PDB file of all heavy atoms in Angstrom:
ATOM      1  N   GLU A   1      18.808  -3.339  -2.205  1.00 94.00           N
ATOM      2  CA  GLU A   1      18.721  -2.097  -2.972  1.00 94.00           C
ATOM      3  C   GLU A   1      17.256  -1.696  -3.169  1.00 94.00           C
ATOM      4  O   GLU A   1      16.902  -0.522  -3.058  1.00 94.00           O
ATOM      5  CB  GLU A   1      19.409  -2.243  -4.336  1.00 94.00           C
ATOM      6  CG  GLU A   1      20.925  -2.280  -4.277  1.00 94.00           C
ATOM      7  CD  GLU A   1      21.486  -3.689  -4.078  1.00 94.00           C
ATOM      8  OE1 GLU A   1      20.746  -4.578  -3.606  1.00 94.00           O
ATOM      9  OE2 GLU A   1      22.669  -3.888  -4.369  1.00 94.00           O
ATOM     10  N   ALA A   2      16.406  -2.684  -3.442  1.00 93.00           N
ATOM     11  CA  ALA A   2      14.973  -2.401  -3.607  1.00 93.00           C
ATOM     12  C   ALA A   2      14.385  -1.841  -2.320  1.00 93.00           C
ATOM     13  O   ALA A   2      13.605  -0.881  -2.351  1.00 93.00           O
ATOM     14  CB  ALA A   2      14.236  -3.677  -4.019  1.00 93.00           C
ATOM     15  N   LEU A   3      14.770  -2.412  -1.183  1.00 95.00           N
ATOM     16  CA  LEU A   3      14.278  -1.932   0.117  1.00 95.00           C
ATOM     17  C   LEU A   3      14.694  -0.492   0.380  1.00 95.00           C
ATOM     18  O   LEU A   3      13.897   0.307   0.875  1.00 95.00           O
ATOM     19  CB  LEU A   3      14.806  -2.815   1.251  1.00 95.00           C
ATOM     20  CG  LEU A   3      13.972  -4.027   1.623  1.00 95.00           C
ATOM     21  CD1 LEU A   3      14.665  -4.836   2.704  1.00 95.00           C
ATOM     22  CD2 LEU A   3      12.578  -3.635   2.064  1.00 95.00           C
ATOM     23  N   ILE A   4      15.923  -0.170   0.054  1.00 94.00           N
ATOM     24  CA  ILE A   4      16.416   1.205   0.262  1.00 94.00           C
ATOM     25  C   ILE A   4      15.571   2.196  -0.533  1.00 94.00           C
ATOM     26  O   ILE A   4      15.131   3.218  -0.011  1.00 94.00           O
ATOM     27  CB  ILE A   4      17.914   1.316  -0.111  1.00 94.00           C
ATOM     28  CG1 ILE A   4      18.765   0.547   0.912  1.00 94.00           C
ATOM     29  CG2 ILE A   4      18.357   2.778  -0.190  1.00 94.00           C
ATOM     30  CD1 ILE A   4      20.209   0.320   0.498  1.00 94.00           C
ATOM     31  N   VAL A   5      15.325   1.864  -1.800  1.00 94.00           N
ATOM     32  CA  VAL A   5      14.538   2.751  -2.668  1.00 94.00           C
ATOM     33  C   VAL A   5      13.122   2.915  -2.112  1.00 94.00           C
ATOM     34  O   VAL A   5      12.600   4.032  -2.022  1.00 94.00           O
ATOM     35  CB  VAL A   5      14.497   2.193  -4.110  1.00 94.00           C
ATOM     36  CG1 VAL A   5      13.510   2.952  -4.972  1.00 94.00           C
ATOM     37  CG2 VAL A   5      15.877   2.241  -4.742  1.00 94.00           C
ATOM     38  N   LEU A   6      12.496   1.806  -1.715  1.00 94.00           N
ATOM     39  CA  LEU A   6      11.118   1.861  -1.203  1.00 94.00           C
ATOM     40  C   LEU A   6      11.042   2.631   0.115  1.00 94.00           C
ATOM     41  O   LEU A   6      10.152   3.458   0.309  1.00 94.00           O
ATOM     42  CB  LEU A   6      10.570   0.444  -1.007  1.00 94.00           C
ATOM     43  CG  LEU A   6      10.348  -0.369  -2.288  1.00 94.00           C
ATOM     44  CD1 LEU A   6      10.017  -1.821  -1.949  1.00 94.00           C
ATOM     45  CD2 LEU A   6       9.255   0.234  -3.147  1.00 94.00           C
ATOM     46  N   ASN A   7      11.972   2.364   1.020  1.00 94.00           N
ATOM     47  CA  ASN A   7      11.958   3.050   2.322  1.00 94.00           C
ATOM     48  C   ASN A   7      12.194   4.546   2.186  1.00 94.00           C
ATOM     49  O   ASN A   7      11.575   5.337   2.896  1.00 94.00           O
ATOM     50  CB  ASN A   7      12.993   2.428   3.273  1.00 94.00           C
ATOM     51  CG  ASN A   7      12.523   1.087   3.807  1.00 94.00           C
ATOM     52  OD1 ASN A   7      11.338   0.868   4.015  1.00 94.00           O
ATOM     53  ND2 ASN A   7      13.451   0.176   4.021  1.00 94.00           N
ATOM     54  N   ASN A   8      13.080   4.945   1.273  1.00 92.00           N
ATOM     55  CA  ASN A   8      13.302   6.376   1.044  1.00 92.00           C
ATOM     56  C   ASN A   8      12.044   7.043   0.500  1.00 92.00           C
ATOM     57  O   ASN A   8      11.698   8.148   0.896  1.00 92.00           O
ATOM     58  CB  ASN A   8      14.484   6.601   0.091  1.00 92.00           C
ATOM     59  CG  ASN A   8      15.810   6.353   0.777  1.00 92.00           C
ATOM     60  OD1 ASN A   8      15.921   6.421   1.993  1.00 92.00           O
ATOM     61  ND2 ASN A   8      16.822   6.043  -0.013  1.00 92.00           N
ATOM     62  N   SER A   9      11.362   6.359  -0.393  1.00 93.00           N
ATOM     63  CA  SER A   9      10.143   6.908  -0.976  1.00 93.00           C
ATOM     64  C   SER A   9       9.020   6.983   0.061  1.00 93.00           C
ATOM     65  O   SER A   9       8.205   7.906   0.035  1.00 93.00           O
ATOM     66  CB  SER A   9       9.716   6.054  -2.173  1.00 93.00           C
ATOM     67  OG  SER A   9       8.722   6.700  -2.895  1.00 93.00           O
ATOM     68  N   LEU A  10       8.987   6.048   0.987  1.00 93.00           N
ATOM     69  CA  LEU A  10       7.961   6.043   2.041  1.00 93.00           C
ATOM     70  C   LEU A  10       8.047   7.286   2.928  1.00 93.00           C
ATOM     71  O   LEU A  10       7.045   7.712   3.494  1.00 93.00           O
ATOM     72  CB  LEU A  10       8.107   4.801   2.923  1.00 93.00           C
ATOM     73  CG  LEU A  10       7.273   3.598   2.520  1.00 93.00           C
ATOM     74  CD1 LEU A  10       7.703   2.356   3.284  1.00 93.00           C
ATOM     75  CD2 LEU A  10       5.796   3.871   2.717  1.00 93.00           C
ATOM     76  N   LYS A  11       9.240   7.866   3.035  1.00 92.00           N
ATOM     77  CA  LYS A  11       9.430   9.027   3.920  1.00 92.00           C
ATOM     78  C   LYS A  11       8.634  10.243   3.464  1.00 92.00           C
ATOM     79  O   LYS A  11       8.282  11.089   4.275  1.00 92.00           O
ATOM     80  CB  LYS A  11      10.914   9.388   4.002  1.00 92.00           C
ATOM     81  CG  LYS A  11      11.754   8.352   4.727  1.00 92.00           C
ATOM     82  CD  LYS A  11      13.230   8.704   4.661  1.00 92.00           C
ATOM     83  CE  LYS A  11      14.089   7.562   5.195  1.00 92.00           C
ATOM     84  NZ  LYS A  11      15.515   7.814   4.949  1.00 92.00           N
ATOM     85  N   TYR A  12       8.361  10.354   2.156  1.00 91.00           N
ATOM     86  CA  TYR A  12       7.698  11.564   1.672  1.00 91.00           C
ATOM     87  C   TYR A  12       6.376  11.316   0.941  1.00 91.00           C
ATOM     88  O   TYR A  12       5.646  12.254   0.655  1.00 91.00           O
ATOM     89  CB  TYR A  12       8.628  12.367   0.757  1.00 91.00           C
ATOM     90  CG  TYR A  12       8.996  11.665  -0.523  1.00 91.00           C
ATOM     91  CD1 TYR A  12       8.136  11.679  -1.615  1.00 91.00           C
ATOM     92  CD2 TYR A  12      10.205  10.992  -0.654  1.00 91.00           C
ATOM     93  CE1 TYR A  12       8.461  11.033  -2.787  1.00 91.00           C
ATOM     94  CE2 TYR A  12      10.539  10.337  -1.828  1.00 91.00           C
ATOM     95  CZ  TYR A  12       9.663  10.371  -2.879  1.00 91.00           C
ATOM     96  OH  TYR A  12       9.988   9.721  -4.034  1.00 91.00           O
ATOM     97  N   THR A  13       6.051  10.086   0.635  1.00 89.00           N
ATOM     98  CA  THR A  13       4.835   9.818  -0.134  1.00 89.00           C
ATOM     99  C   THR A  13       3.608  10.053   0.728  1.00 89.00           C
ATOM    100  O   THR A  13       3.402   9.377   1.729  1.00 89.00           O
ATOM    101  CB  THR A  13       4.846   8.377  -0.690  1.00 89.00           C
ATOM    102  OG1 THR A  13       5.995   8.223  -1.518  1.00 89.00           O
ATOM    103  CG2 THR A  13       3.587   8.096  -1.496  1.00 89.00           C
ATOM    104  N   GLN A  14       2.791  11.021   0.332  1.00 88.00           N
ATOM    105  CA  GLN A  14       1.610  11.403   1.103  1.00 88.00           C
ATOM    106  C   GLN A  14       0.343  10.680   0.635  1.00 88.00           C
ATOM    107  O   GLN A  14      -0.536  10.403   1.440  1.00 88.00           O
ATOM    108  CB  GLN A  14       1.369  12.920   0.987  1.00 88.00           C
ATOM    109  CG  GLN A  14       2.524  13.755   1.503  1.00 88.00           C
ATOM    110  CD  GLN A  14       2.711  13.610   2.998  1.00 88.00           C
ATOM    111  OE1 GLN A  14       1.751  13.633   3.749  1.00 88.00           O
ATOM    112  NE2 GLN A  14       3.944  13.440   3.433  1.00 88.00           N
ATOM    113  N   GLU A  15       0.256  10.396  -0.648  1.00 89.00           N
ATOM    114  CA  GLU A  15      -0.954   9.788  -1.185  1.00 89.00           C
ATOM    115  C   GLU A  15      -1.116   8.391  -0.588  1.00 89.00           C
ATOM    116  O   GLU A  15      -0.228   7.549  -0.672  1.00 89.00           O
ATOM    117  CB  GLU A  15      -0.871   9.720  -2.709  1.00 89.00           C
ATOM    118  CG  GLU A  15      -2.210   9.639  -3.411  1.00 89.00           C
ATOM    119  CD  GLU A  15      -2.846   8.264  -3.356  1.00 89.00           C
ATOM    120  OE1 GLU A  15      -2.132   7.267  -3.518  1.00 89.00           O
ATOM    121  OE2 GLU A  15      -4.056   8.193  -3.127  1.00 89.00           O
ATOM    122  N   GLU A  16      -2.272   8.146   0.033  1.00 92.00           N
ATOM    123  CA  GLU A  16      -2.480   6.939   0.843  1.00 92.00           C
ATOM    124  C   GLU A  16      -2.280   5.644   0.062  1.00 92.00           C
ATOM    125  O   GLU A  16      -1.573   4.740   0.515  1.00 92.00           O
ATOM    126  CB  GLU A  16      -3.885   6.958   1.457  1.00 92.00           C
ATOM    127  CG  GLU A  16      -4.130   5.778   2.374  1.00 92.00           C
ATOM    128  CD  GLU A  16      -5.543   5.722   2.926  1.00 92.00           C
ATOM    129  OE1 GLU A  16      -6.430   6.417   2.391  1.00 92.00           O
ATOM    130  OE2 GLU A  16      -5.755   4.968   3.882  1.00 92.00           O
ATOM    131  N   ASN A  17      -2.885   5.534  -1.108  1.00 91.00           N
ATOM    132  CA  ASN A  17      -2.779   4.277  -1.857  1.00 91.00           C
ATOM    133  C   ASN A  17      -1.361   4.012  -2.350  1.00 91.00           C
ATOM    134  O   ASN A  17      -0.908   2.865  -2.327  1.00 91.00           O
ATOM    135  CB  ASN A  17      -3.784   4.254  -3.013  1.00 91.00           C
ATOM    136  CG  ASN A  17      -5.203   4.101  -2.508  1.00 91.00           C
ATOM    137  OD1 ASN A  17      -5.480   3.256  -1.663  1.00 91.00           O
ATOM    138  ND2 ASN A  17      -6.101   4.928  -2.995  1.00 91.00           N
ATOM    139  N   LEU A  18      -0.656   5.049  -2.768  1.00 90.00           N
ATOM    140  CA  LEU A  18       0.752   4.867  -3.155  1.00 90.00           C
ATOM    141  C   LEU A  18       1.588   4.454  -1.947  1.00 90.00           C
ATOM    142  O   LEU A  18       2.460   3.591  -2.045  1.00 90.00           O
ATOM    143  CB  LEU A  18       1.316   6.150  -3.773  1.00 90.00           C
ATOM    144  CG  LEU A  18       0.925   6.444  -5.206  1.00 90.00           C
ATOM    145  CD1 LEU A  18       1.478   7.794  -5.640  1.00 90.00           C
ATOM    146  CD2 LEU A  18       1.398   5.360  -6.148  1.00 90.00           C
ATOM    147  N   ASN A  19       1.301   5.052  -0.797  1.00 93.00           N
ATOM    148  CA  ASN A  19       1.992   4.711   0.439  1.00 93.00           C
ATOM    149  C   ASN A  19       1.765   3.242   0.783  1.00 93.00           C
ATOM    150  O   ASN A  19       2.698   2.529   1.162  1.00 93.00           O
ATOM    151  CB  ASN A  19       1.489   5.621   1.571  1.00 93.00           C
ATOM    152  CG  ASN A  19       2.344   5.551   2.789  1.00 93.00           C
ATOM    153  OD1 ASN A  19       2.277   4.581   3.533  1.00 93.00           O
ATOM    154  ND2 ASN A  19       3.147   6.575   3.013  1.00 93.00           N
ATOM    155  N   ILE A  20       0.523   2.777   0.612  1.00 92.00           N
ATOM    156  CA  ILE A  20       0.190   1.375   0.888  1.00 92.00           C
ATOM    157  C   ILE A  20       0.923   0.446  -0.073  1.00 92.00           C
ATOM    158  O   ILE A  20       1.461  -0.586   0.334  1.00 92.00           O
ATOM    159  CB  ILE A  20      -1.340   1.161   0.831  1.00 92.00           C
ATOM    160  CG1 ILE A  20      -2.000   1.848   2.029  1.00 92.00           C
ATOM    161  CG2 ILE A  20      -1.690  -0.322   0.802  1.00 92.00           C
ATOM    162  CD1 ILE A  20      -3.512   1.943   1.956  1.00 92.00           C
ATOM    163  N   ILE A  21       0.964   0.818  -1.349  1.00 93.00           N
ATOM    164  CA  ILE A  21       1.672  -0.013  -2.335  1.00 93.00           C
ATOM    165  C   ILE A  21       3.150  -0.122  -1.974  1.00 93.00           C
ATOM    166  O   ILE A  21       3.748  -1.202  -2.065  1.00 93.00           O
ATOM    167  CB  ILE A  21       1.476   0.537  -3.764  1.00 93.00           C
ATOM    168  CG1 ILE A  21       0.007   0.363  -4.184  1.00 93.00           C
ATOM    169  CG2 ILE A  21       2.400  -0.154  -4.763  1.00 93.00           C
ATOM    170  CD1 ILE A  21      -0.386   1.113  -5.434  1.00 93.00           C
ATOM    171  N   LEU A  22       3.754   0.991  -1.540  1.00 94.00           N
ATOM    172  CA  LEU A  22       5.156   0.951  -1.101  1.00 94.00           C
ATOM    173  C   LEU A  22       5.321  -0.007   0.083  1.00 94.00           C
ATOM    174  O   LEU A  22       6.260  -0.808   0.126  1.00 94.00           O
ATOM    175  CB  LEU A  22       5.629   2.357  -0.713  1.00 94.00           C
ATOM    176  CG  LEU A  22       5.808   3.359  -1.853  1.00 94.00           C
ATOM    177  CD1 LEU A  22       5.944   4.773  -1.306  1.00 94.00           C
ATOM    178  CD2 LEU A  22       7.005   3.002  -2.712  1.00 94.00           C
ATOM    179  N   LYS A  23       4.402   0.069   1.052  1.00 95.00           N
ATOM    180  CA  LYS A  23       4.475  -0.804   2.233  1.00 95.00           C
ATOM    181  C   LYS A  23       4.274  -2.276   1.856  1.00 95.00           C
ATOM    182  O   LYS A  23       4.966  -3.150   2.382  1.00 95.00           O
ATOM    183  CB  LYS A  23       3.449  -0.375   3.284  1.00 95.00           C
ATOM    184  CG  LYS A  23       3.834   0.889   4.007  1.00 95.00           C
ATOM    185  CD  LYS A  23       2.812   1.271   5.060  1.00 95.00           C
ATOM    186  CE  LYS A  23       3.262   2.531   5.793  1.00 95.00           C
ATOM    187  NZ  LYS A  23       2.289   2.979   6.782  1.00 95.00           N
ATOM    188  N   LEU A  24       3.332  -2.542   0.963  1.00 94.00           N
ATOM    189  CA  LEU A  24       3.098  -3.932   0.532  1.00 94.00           C
ATOM    190  C   LEU A  24       4.334  -4.508  -0.155  1.00 94.00           C
ATOM    191  O   LEU A  24       4.712  -5.656   0.089  1.00 94.00           O
ATOM    192  CB  LEU A  24       1.884  -4.005  -0.404  1.00 94.00           C
ATOM    193  CG  LEU A  24       0.518  -3.775   0.228  1.00 94.00           C
ATOM    194  CD1 LEU A  24      -0.565  -3.686  -0.845  1.00 94.00           C
ATOM    195  CD2 LEU A  24       0.174  -4.855   1.242  1.00 94.00           C
ATOM    196  N   ASN A  25       4.959  -3.699  -1.004  1.00 94.00           N
ATOM    197  CA  ASN A  25       6.179  -4.160  -1.676  1.00 94.00           C
ATOM    198  C   ASN A  25       7.308  -4.388  -0.679  1.00 94.00           C
ATOM    199  O   ASN A  25       8.083  -5.344  -0.805  1.00 94.00           O
ATOM    200  CB  ASN A  25       6.601  -3.174  -2.763  1.00 94.00           C
ATOM    201  CG  ASN A  25       5.761  -3.330  -4.014  1.00 94.00           C
ATOM    202  OD1 ASN A  25       5.599  -4.419  -4.534  1.00 94.00           O
ATOM    203  ND2 ASN A  25       5.197  -2.250  -4.488  1.00 94.00           N
ATOM    204  N   THR A  26       7.395  -3.502   0.315  1.00 96.00           N
ATOM    205  CA  THR A  26       8.406  -3.669   1.369  1.00 96.00           C
ATOM    206  C   THR A  26       8.155  -4.961   2.134  1.00 96.00           C
ATOM    207  O   THR A  26       9.089  -5.734   2.401  1.00 96.00           O
ATOM    208  CB  THR A  26       8.380  -2.458   2.332  1.00 96.00           C
ATOM    209  OG1 THR A  26       8.603  -1.261   1.574  1.00 96.00           O
ATOM    210  CG2 THR A  26       9.435  -2.572   3.403  1.00 96.00           C
ATOM    211  N   ALA A  27       6.891  -5.214   2.483  1.00 95.00           N
ATOM    212  CA  ALA A  27       6.542  -6.442   3.211  1.00 95.00           C
ATOM    213  C   ALA A  27       6.852  -7.692   2.382  1.00 95.00           C
ATOM    214  O   ALA A  27       7.356  -8.690   2.914  1.00 95.00           O
ATOM    215  CB  ALA A  27       5.071  -6.416   3.610  1.00 95.00           C
ATOM    216  N   LYS A  28       6.589  -7.631   1.071  1.00 94.00           N
ATOM    217  CA  LYS A  28       6.903  -8.780   0.193  1.00 94.00           C
ATOM    218  C   LYS A  28       8.392  -9.096   0.224  1.00 94.00           C
ATOM    219  O   LYS A  28       8.796 -10.260   0.283  1.00 94.00           O
ATOM    220  CB  LYS A  28       6.499  -8.464  -1.258  1.00 94.00           C
ATOM    221  CG  LYS A  28       5.061  -8.699  -1.577  1.00 94.00           C
ATOM    222  CD  LYS A  28       4.818  -8.441  -3.058  1.00 94.00           C
ATOM    223  CE  LYS A  28       3.347  -8.276  -3.352  1.00 94.00           C
ATOM    224  NZ  LYS A  28       3.070  -7.860  -4.720  1.00 94.00           N
ATOM    225  N   ILE A  29       9.198  -8.042   0.183  1.00 95.00           N
ATOM    226  CA  ILE A  29      10.651  -8.250   0.223  1.00 95.00           C
ATOM    227  C   ILE A  29      11.053  -8.845   1.569  1.00 95.00           C
ATOM    228  O   ILE A  29      11.881  -9.762   1.631  1.00 95.00           O
ATOM    229  CB  ILE A  29      11.409  -6.934  -0.054  1.00 95.00           C
ATOM    230  CG1 ILE A  29      11.160  -6.485  -1.495  1.00 95.00           C
ATOM    231  CG2 ILE A  29      12.904  -7.093   0.211  1.00 95.00           C
ATOM    232  CD1 ILE A  29      11.661  -5.097  -1.812  1.00 95.00           C
ATOM    233  N   LYS A  30      10.477  -8.337   2.649  1.00 96.00           N
ATOM    234  CA  LYS A  30      10.793  -8.864   3.986  1.00 96.00           C
ATOM    235  C   LYS A  30      10.428 -10.346   4.077  1.00 96.00           C
ATOM    236  O   LYS A  30      11.179 -11.140   4.654  1.00 96.00           O
ATOM    237  CB  LYS A  30      10.058  -8.074   5.075  1.00 96.00           C
ATOM    238  CG  LYS A  30      10.540  -6.649   5.237  1.00 96.00           C
ATOM    239  CD  LYS A  30      11.930  -6.614   5.810  1.00 96.00           C
ATOM    240  CE  LYS A  30      12.416  -5.207   6.050  1.00 96.00           C
ATOM    241  NZ  LYS A  30      13.794  -5.175   6.539  1.00 96.00           N
ATOM    242  N   ILE A  31       9.310 -10.749   3.496  1.00 95.00           N
ATOM    243  CA  ILE A  31       8.926 -12.167   3.480  1.00 95.00           C
ATOM    244  C   ILE A  31       9.944 -12.957   2.674  1.00 95.00           C
ATOM    245  O   ILE A  31      10.376 -14.035   3.089  1.00 95.00           O
ATOM    246  CB  ILE A  31       7.492 -12.350   2.919  1.00 95.00           C
ATOM    247  CG1 ILE A  31       6.462 -11.780   3.909  1.00 95.00           C
ATOM    248  CG2 ILE A  31       7.196 -13.818   2.623  1.00 95.00           C
ATOM    249  CD1 ILE A  31       5.045 -11.670   3.365  1.00 95.00           C
ATOM    250  N   GLU A  32      10.346 -12.402   1.534  1.00 93.00           N
ATOM    251  CA  GLU A  32      11.346 -13.058   0.681  1.00 93.00           C
ATOM    252  C   GLU A  32      12.678 -13.224   1.418  1.00 93.00           C
ATOM    253  O   GLU A  32      13.386 -14.223   1.239  1.00 93.00           O
ATOM    254  CB  GLU A  32      11.532 -12.235  -0.599  1.00 93.00           C
ATOM    255  CG  GLU A  32      12.312 -12.904  -1.689  1.00 93.00           C
ATOM    256  CD  GLU A  32      11.579 -14.064  -2.339  1.00 93.00           C
ATOM    257  OE1 GLU A  32      10.337 -14.049  -2.401  1.00 93.00           O
ATOM    258  OE2 GLU A  32      12.270 -14.996  -2.788  1.00 93.00           O
ATOM    259  N   GLN A  33      13.017 -12.262   2.265  1.00 95.00           N
ATOM    260  CA  GLN A  33      14.266 -12.314   3.027  1.00 95.00           C
ATOM    261  C   GLN A  33      14.120 -13.110   4.331  1.00 95.00           C
ATOM    262  O   GLN A  33      15.029 -13.149   5.129  1.00 95.00           O
ATOM    263  CB  GLN A  33      14.744 -10.891   3.355  1.00 95.00           C
ATOM    264  CG  GLN A  33      15.189 -10.107   2.154  1.00 95.00           C
ATOM    265  CD  GLN A  33      15.620  -8.692   2.519  1.00 95.00           C
ATOM    266  OE1 GLN A  33      15.047  -8.047   3.392  1.00 95.00           O
ATOM    267  NE2 GLN A  33      16.640  -8.203   1.820  1.00 95.00           N
ATOM    268  N   ASN A  34      12.943 -13.713   4.511  1.00 95.00           N
ATOM    269  CA  ASN A  34      12.644 -14.503   5.703  1.00 95.00           C
ATOM    270  C   ASN A  34      12.635 -13.657   6.978  1.00 95.00           C
ATOM    271  O   ASN A  34      12.927 -14.154   8.061  1.00 95.00           O
ATOM    272  CB  ASN A  34      13.604 -15.697   5.836  1.00 95.00           C
ATOM    273  CG  ASN A  34      12.922 -16.866   6.509  1.00 95.00           C
ATOM    274  OD1 ASN A  34      11.702 -16.988   6.480  1.00 95.00           O
ATOM    275  ND2 ASN A  34      13.708 -17.712   7.129  1.00 95.00           N
ATOM    276  N   GLU A  35      12.301 -12.377   6.829  1.00 97.00           N
ATOM    277  CA  GLU A  35      12.127 -11.480   7.976  1.00 97.00           C
ATOM    278  C   GLU A  35      10.620 -11.295   8.181  1.00 97.00           C
ATOM    279  O   GLU A  35      10.066 -10.219   8.023  1.00 97.00           O
ATOM    280  CB  GLU A  35      12.843 -10.150   7.713  1.00 97.00           C
ATOM    281  CG  GLU A  35      14.347 -10.310   7.602  1.00 97.00           C
ATOM    282  CD  GLU A  35      15.066  -9.016   7.232  1.00 97.00           C
ATOM    283  OE1 GLU A  35      14.434  -7.948   7.237  1.00 97.00           O
ATOM    284  OE2 GLU A  35      16.263  -9.108   6.917  1.00 97.00           O
TER     285      GLU A  35
END
């Protein structure tokens, strides 16, 4: 559910640092899921 929310937000977030924070959080979840 967290990944869905982050990925949807990544589609429209233009501000670079917010975009990076979304990507970092997505990557953390992927590591947690062993992906």
Side-chain angles (χ1 to χ4, degrees):
E1 287 88 339
L3 271 177
I4 291 167
V5 171
L6 293 171
N7 285 327
N8 285 337
S9 192
L10 267 169
K11 292 175 189 172
Y12 65 82
T13 301
Q14 300 293 316
E15 203 283 319
E16 183 184 15
N17 289 313
L18 283 176
N19 193 284
I20 290 169
I21 292 168
L22 290 166
K23 286 181 178 178
L24 289 172
N25 282 309
T26 303
K28 277 184 196 173
I29 293 170
K30 292 291 183 183
I31 291 169
E32 192 70 30
Q33 292 179 323
N34 211 24
E35 295 175 10

